[in-house]
Amino acid sequence: MHPLATRPPSMEAEKPKEDDGSGSDEKPALPKLLLGAIGVVFGDIATSPLYSMQQAFSKGGIAPRHDNILGLLSLVFWALVLVVSIKYVVFVMRADNHGEGGMMALTALARNAVRKNSRACWWVVMLGLAGAALFFGDSVITPAISVLSAVEGLKLASPAFGQWVLPIGATIIVLLFALQKRGSSLVGSLFGPVMTLWLLSVAALGVYSLLRHPEVVAAANPRWAVEYMAHNGFKGFASLGAVVLVMTGGEALYADIGHFGSFPIRLSWFGLALPALLLNYAGQGAELLQDSSGAQHPFFSLVPHVLLYPMIVLATAATVIASQAVISGTFSMVRQGIQLGYLPRSRVEHTSGDMEGQIYLPTVNFLLFVAVMIAVLGFRSSDKLAGAYGIAVSGTMLLTTLLLLVVARMRWQWGWARLLAFGIVYVFIDASFFGANTLKLANGGWFPITLAIVMMVVMTVWRRGRHLMERQLHAEGEKLEDFIDHQQDDPPLQAPGTAVFLTGDGQWVPQALRHNVEHNHVLHERNVVLTVDGLDQPRTRGDERSELEELAHGFWRVTLRFGFAESIDVPARLRQLKLDPTLEADKVVWFIGHDEVKADDDKSYHMARWRARLFAYMARNATPATTYYGIPPRRLIEIGARIDL
């Protein structure tokens, strides 16, 4: 099947409508949603105390003196309040695309808001793709830094464990990716209780330390942050690269609203996660006021020696959960990218019969595993990985703000005064964090940027190649109605039964249909020209799920629409139309165009030659339609031709 068998998302398909965000008619009980949100949504941000303060006071950084400790704590406090609590939890989570969140969903929402302006639409798409590409970089760094930072606590228990940190961390990561095929449901029932225990534990450690040095609560006064930046100058600005680490995972609060809904995430954030994190960071600051030598690992310095081993085990479990959540989020984003037309088809396996969101992509899992192991073996410590981590997080935050401004102006109808006030504050904050992290490009920041560039190239090349193929096929094609009329001049032989021809555009004659008539001189009694249309919304509803048009002489034109969060089962959806009794799976012949894309050296292309070769490689290796669309292979006939871009 050639890459155009799925039509790109329709701009007209997305219309504002109310949605409960659950994706089903029956909502789980609130306590179950709260526990699920704590276990999945906050895994990344809840494990940030393991490494963020350590990075701020690392060698060559800020000296752990009284004023610096209070100043840095003030920056941490206001980062969690202004960026995570106000920007993400209050504002960004309002920008749901029919109950679905995440960078791809926000991009689709913003693109539809400016769909009448082609230039603005292009910029919105590029910003969204850049944000998605940075998220892939984040997905590689998170498992590596989280697991290593937890296992590094062993060095405090005994220096002899130092040589075992890397092998143990690598082994945990190998097991983590090996278990992905079993699905997160394998340990999903443990996510909520373990993360709840983790958050209560870090809060208790913070309170224990605060009781000895309660003066650190003064850090809530922004004066300390202002004085800190004024007194430390460039070093203070550079330390923002460590402060941003306390917000890692903030994007997950928005990305997971489709699974849990906005209210449970907000309630669990303000009711448990935020207070626990603030208490722990304050406790780390209090511990440093008492003994600045703990700056090498402030988190484990809080832990009484008798509880050190149990806390290392709990921290490791929490980081595995955080990594699992990020990996699952990557699977979801890749599937969204495929169905929105920005990535080639890849095999999607559903690991749960109850929850649609639990999916496994073997190819993506393997590529993620390779990249994570490169990060672990290349950087070898959480301290070095922290330099690579912040730039992906801060870049994604900045791009989210820019897309949110588009949505706020075009969909929420914000006035210019309100828009500028919000934009100036948050663009300045996000740009400051991003600028501070660019200082770490030479010390690891290049790694996620390289990953993001690779992903950006893949997505733009695939999108451009699809467009060029569609244009070429149309230039050589014929309108479907004209084709039907021409067949009556010299009718071909008629075969019994029903034939379904998949195409990217139902207005034109499918390549498989044209070649079948030209070479085999035969048509079936009933011919269905079928288009699978991906929408800029998570799920389809009611009449928008399908469109049926009866044409002359036994032809039908059918469009099936799927949201970017839906499973694609084309035969099942087609049978729901009750078009004809012969549409049973074992009585239909499926015809698919399997055009071979070529990029020879002696030809000129409408895209750079290396891009044409890359697109041709991706097209050859895309998952077959029989797997991706659920088409029975024994009833499939593939007819193709060579296409030069």
Side-chain angles (χ1 to χ4, degrees), residues 245-456:
L245 297 178
V246 307
M247 299 180 288
T248 59
E251 190 75 20
L253 277 69
Y254 172 53
D256 284 317
I257 60 176
H259 293 112
F260 303 101
S262 299
F263 179 70
I265 293 177
R266 288 182 173 128
L267 184 59
S268 52
W269 169 252
F270 287 113
L272 177 60
L274 178 61
L277 291 173
L278 291 177
L279 286 171
N280 189 263
Y281 285 122
Q284 290 188 43
E287 186 68 23
L288 290 176
L289 286 178
Q290 179 176 333
D291 182 9
S292 61
S293 64
Q296 292 184 347
H297 218 307
F299 177 82
F300 284 109
S301 297
L302 288 177
V303 184
H305 191 271
V306 68
L307 297 177
L308 189 56
Y309 285 108
M311 202 62 197
I312 292 172
V313 173
L314 181 59
T316 303
T319 56
V320 168
I321 291 173
S323 302
Q324 171 67 50
V326 170
I327 294 168
S328 298
T330 305
F331 291 162
S332 297
M333 179 167 285
V334 169
R335 183 176 70 167
Q336 292 178 14
I338 292 170
Q339 295 183 201
L340 289 171
Y342 296 111
L343 289 169
R345 294 185 312 272
S346 181
R347 184 158 59 95
V348 178
E349 298 179 7
H350 293 267
T351 59
S352 172
D354 302 321
M355 296 183 63
E356 184 181 1
Q358 291 189 9
I359 58 175
Y360 168 68
L361 284 75
T363 302
V364 178
N365 188 64
F366 174 75
L367 294 176
L368 262 183
F369 168 71
V370 171
V372 171
M373 289 304 295
I374 290 174
V376 169
L377 299 178
F379 289 93
R380 306 181 72 83
S381 72
S382 63
D383 185 54
K384 294 179 180 178
L385 276 166
Y389 199 15
I391 197 165
V393 175
S394 57
T396 304
M397 291 194 309
L398 177 59
L399 293 171
T400 297
T401 297
L402 296 176
L403 291 173
L404 181 67
L405 291 174
V406 175
V407 173
R409 174 60 183 169
M410 304 303 295
R411 291 181 62 88
W412 299 346
Q413 301 298 309
W414 278 16
W416 283 109
R418 184 181 183 185
L419 189 75
L420 286 174
F422 183 90
I424 289 172
V425 170
Y426 282 103
V427 170
F428 173 76
I429 292 174
D430 293 339
S432 298
F433 283 127
F434 183 72
N437 278 281
T438 58
L439 301 175
K440 302 178 182 179
L441 279 173
N443 297 320
W446 58 268
F447 185 66
I449 292 296
T450 301
L451 293 174
I453 291 173
V454 170
M455 284 305 305
M456 193 73 176

Side-chain angles (χ1 to χ4, degrees), residues 563-621:
F564 57 71
E566 288 184 294
S567 302
I568 295 183
D569 189 337
V570 171
R573 179 71 66 83
L574 191 61
R575 287 195 297 270
Q576 292 174 3
L577 296 180
K578 302 186 185 303
L579 178 65
D580 190 274
T582 60
L583 282 180
E584 293 299 325
D586 59 346
K587 298 180 181 178
V588 174
V589 179
W590 297 80
F591 286 84
I592 297 179
H594 190 89
D595 298 314
E596 184 180 7
V597 182
K598 288 290 185 179
D600 292 336
D601 294 336
D602 58 346
K603 293 181 179 294
S604 60
Y605 302 97
H606 297 286
M607 59 196 307
R609 186 169 297 171
W610 69 269
R611 286 165 60 89
R613 290 175 177 172
L614 177 59
F615 177 77
Y617 175 81
M618 290 190 291
R620 288 194 303 269
N621 290 277

Side-chain angles (χ1 to χ4, degrees), residues 112-134:
N112 278 285
V114 296
R115 62 182 181 270
K116 295 181 180 179
N117 186 327
S118 59
R119 183 174 293 274
C121 188
W122 185 87
W123 277 107
V124 163
V125 170
M126 289 299 105
L127 289 176
L129 293 184
L134 284 172

Side-chain angles (χ1 to χ4, degrees), residues 7-14 111-112 533-536 561:
R7 186 190 297 175
S10 169
M11 292 289 192
E12 303 299 328
E14 193 274 336
R111 187 177 73 166
N112 278 285
D533 194 355
L535 299 187
D536 282 347
R561 300 187 179 94

